[in-house]
Amino acid sequence: MTRKTVILYNRLAPTLRARLDEHFHVLDFSDTPNLPRDPAFRAALEDAHGVLGASVPLGRAELAHARNLEAISSVSVGVDKYDRDYLVERGIMLCHTPDVLTETTADTAFLLMLAAARRAVELAMRVRNGEWTASVGEADFGVDVHGKRLGIVGMGRIGAAIGRRARFGFNMDVAYHNRSRHAAVEDELGAEWRTLDDLLDWADFVCVTVPLAEATRGLFGAAEFQRMGPETIFINISRGGVVDEPALIAALENHTIRAAGLDVFTTEPLPGDSPLARLANVVALPHIGSATHETRHAMAALAVDNLIEALAGREPPARYSMAD
């Protein structure tokens, strides 16, 4: 029996790669630069039954000639790199990797909250540069995290995990804004649903976890930062596109808000000349939300399982739904 052909563009541990080889004929593009423009990759798409990888845009133009494609297995929870309407139109199954990265990404959110509040990166660089020459004075003080008010925008799996850390670990009051209410989360955390404007007025920390979609693109602009006020710390672990980046830069430069902790940006990698790379009141990370050995292995393992099951005509463990 002829094995189906799959394209791999994500580095896998040897054991996971061996599982793919057991089931499929694998075309490996995991070390190919500028993948969307690579002629061999584009030619391979014409015959592939499945693809497994992340961070490569696959839309109508890229997939128009992929006549045999049955399934895409993304090593990510976010699926904004894919034209989901086109995939539905073509009957191409889309799988992703929710759940396995929830706790790690929530850890990253709290890392950003603590680092931005206590000015950890800024002050650590002074130590490294030999600039710590006297006791820390008021000019170098940060602000507390414990006991403060956390507003979460997007109460999915990750938002709920952040809320648990806040409520039970740091005794924070938690409120949230979401397109639908979550009674279980409200009961567990004592969290209150608020309108977005009300949430921004109320919160000391605003943490964004929404997926990138047309409804959330540019969700945070000048008006939203103005509403937050000069004591608020803004945290974004979702996607850069949910923020009007020039408006955020202006708010930070003008101290319209206190600080920001950012793991995602409109352009990634973040250009070195971006003000977000040099402002003292910004903690900028290189999109490390799920970047631990354990979590990335679990994500890749789930992606392999998804592709094997999908191409065998069975229900995969994590098929993406438009309702997600």
Side-chain angles (χ1 to χ4, degrees):
M1 179 178 176
T2 303
R3 291 187 295 174
K4 291 183 175 181
T5 297
V6 301
I7 294 174
L8 172 67
Y9 54 93
N10 197 91
R11 291 187 184 90
L12 295 178
T15 54
L16 297 179
R17 174 58 196 268
R19 289 199 65 216
L20 278 187
D21 288 331
E22 287 175 11
H23 290 83
F24 309 117
H25 172 56
V26 180
L27 303 177
D28 193 341
F29 289 87
S30 56
D31 293 316
T32 304
N34 300 317
L35 199 57
R37 299 181 181 179
D38 183 76
F41 175 72
R42 297 172 71 174
L45 275 174
E46 295 185 7
D47 297 315
H49 298 89
V51 300
L52 188 153
S55 303
V56 174
L58 293 178
R60 188 177 299 267
E62 292 81 10
L63 299 179
H65 300 292
R67 56 183 179 272
N68 295 324
L69 192 62
E70 299 174 37
I72 295 172
S73 185
S74 185
V75 191
S76 67
V77 64
V79 293
D80 50 285
K81 295 293 184 181
Y82 310 100
D83 185 334
R84 286 156 282 177
D85 291 333
Y86 179 64
L87 296 182
V88 171
E89 177 185 320
R90 285 278 308 275
I92 298 170
M93 187 183 299
L94 177 60
C95 303
H96 64 152
T97 59
D99 294 330
V100 293
L101 52 69
T102 296
E103 299 299 332
T104 299
T105 308
D107 284 350
T108 304
F110 251 87
L111 167 66
L112 286 167
M113 288 172 61
L114 289 164
R118 297 302 300 271
R119 301 168 61 182
V121 174
E122 175 191 0
L123 298 178
M125 289 304 298
R126 293 188 195 175
V127 177
R128 177 171 291 188
N129 295 334
E131 298 171 0
W132 183 25
T133 58
S135 297
V136 171
E138 187 173 350
D140 298 321
F141 289 174
V143 295
D144 285 331
V145 175
H146 66 272
K148 294 294 184 68
R149 296 176 295 192
L150 173 62
I152 301 172
V153 182
M155 187 52 82
R157 300 176 185 90
I158 295 170
I162 294 167
R164 292 184 191 100
R165 285 159 174 75
R167 181 68 186 90
F168 303 121
F170 287 79
N171 195 32
M172 301 178 80
D173 292 326
V174 177
Y176 74 100
H177 177 75
N178 199 66
R179 63 185 178 184
S180 59
R181 295 186 61 162
H182 291 280
V185 171
E186 293 178 15
D187 291 342
E188 179 188 5
L189 304 180
E192 181 183 7
W193 183 93
R194 291 174 178 257
T195 67
L196 181 58
D197 284 351
D198 189 29
L199 187 81
L200 301 183
D201 287 337
W202 173 85
D204 299 307
F205 294 84
V206 173
C207 186
V208 186
T209 71
V210 295
L212 180 61
E214 286 309 307
T216 60
R217 189 177 299 277
L219 181 62
F220 290 89
E224 286 70 33
F225 294 121
Q226 188 67 46
R227 185 175 285 275
M228 290 180 201
E231 298 303 318
T232 304
I233 294 176
F234 178 73
I235 306 296
N236 188 12
I237 59 165
S238 58
R239 288 291 186 266
V242 306
V243 176
D244 178 344
E245 214 159 80
L248 173 59
I249 291 168
L252 290 162
E253 289 178 331
N254 299 331
H255 300 285
T256 303
I257 62 174
R258 175 179 286 274
L262 309 171
D263 191 40
V264 290
F265 305 90
T266 302
T267 300
E268 296 183 3
L270 180 69
D273 60 355
S274 170
L276 296 175
R278 59 170 174 76
L279 284 167
N281 57 346
V282 174
V283 177
L285 297 179
H287 205 150
I288 66 165
S290 63
T292 67
H293 292 293
E294 300 93 336
T295 295
R296 287 293 175 87
H297 183 84
M299 291 170 66
L302 178 54
V304 169
D305 289 343
N306 280 336
L307 193 61
I308 290 171
E309 296 302 301
L311 293 186
R314 299 185 291 265
E315 184 64 21
R319 179 175 185 166
Y320 176 77
S321 167
M322 285 291 201
D324 288 350

